[in-house]
Amino acid sequence: MGPNMRSQHPGLPQPHHSQPPFHSHVKAPGSLGPSFPHGQPPLPSQLLPQPLYQASKQREAALEAALAEKEFAEEECRKKVDEAKKSEASLENDLANMWVLVAKLKKRGELFLTQNLEDVTKSSF
């Protein structure tokens, strides 16, 4: 009996073969797809059945769209943070200017008080 001959034993269930048996020593014909060098994985489209491949591609597209939306939202948030930092710097500058004015007013007030005290002391003597 040769390798393609199947022995049939009465009483034993015979396996149903819708495809020819796989033999590792037999090279696949070129029409079945490219052969891959050892260590290089096949492409996903050659591993998955077509419906699974399409579902995978749709999921990938949905994930890419979600990522693009997140990147857009992140950029918008980054712009708002930058604007808030500029506003904060402006407010801090305004506050510093106010402290300068307060210091000047205090100095004027002290001068005014000392002048008044001098006037009061001169008039009382």
Side-chain angles (χ1 to χ4, degrees), residues 81-94:
V81 167
D82 289 343
E83 289 173 12
K85 285 181 180 179
K86 288 177 185 176
S87 178
E88 180 185 20
S90 175
L91 290 172
E92 286 177 355
N93 189 32
D94 290 347

Side-chain angles (χ1 to χ4, degrees), residues 114-125:
T114 56
Q115 285 177 352
N116 283 343
L117 285 176
E118 287 175 5
D119 290 341
V120 170
T121 55
K122 284 182 188 176
S123 63
S124 62
F125 288 112

Side-chain angles (χ1 to χ4, degrees), residues 9-115:
H9 297 281
L12 290 178
Q14 296 300 315
H16 179 274
H17 296 284
S18 59
Q19 296 179 350
F22 175 76
H23 298 287
S24 61
H25 65 280
V26 177
K27 186 172 181 171
S31 64
L32 292 179
S35 60
F36 294 92
H38 184 65
Q40 181 181 0
L43 298 173
S45 63
Q46 293 162 329
L47 286 179
L48 299 174
Q50 193 63 23
L52 289 177
Y53 179 68
Q54 290 299 326
S56 174
K57 284 304 226 182
Q58 289 173 351
R59 178 166 167 74
E60 180 182 7
L63 289 172
E64 286 177 356
L67 179 61
E69 286 179 28
K70 282 187 175 188
E71 287 174 346
F72 178 77
E74 182 181 1
E75 184 61 30
E76 291 297 311
C77 289
R78 196 170 282 135
K79 287 178 184 177
K80 287 181 182 179
V81 167
D82 289 343
E83 289 173 12
K85 285 181 180 179
K86 288 177 185 176
S87 178
E88 180 185 20
S90 175
L91 290 172
E92 286 177 355
N93 189 32
D94 290 347
L95 181 61
N97 289 335
M98 286 183 198
W99 280 114
V100 169
L101 290 174
V102 167
K104 286 180 181 179
L105 289 173
K106 280 185 179 179
K107 191 177 258 187
R108 284 185 191 166
E110 289 172 1
L111 288 175
F112 180 72
L113 284 176
T114 56
Q115 285 177 352

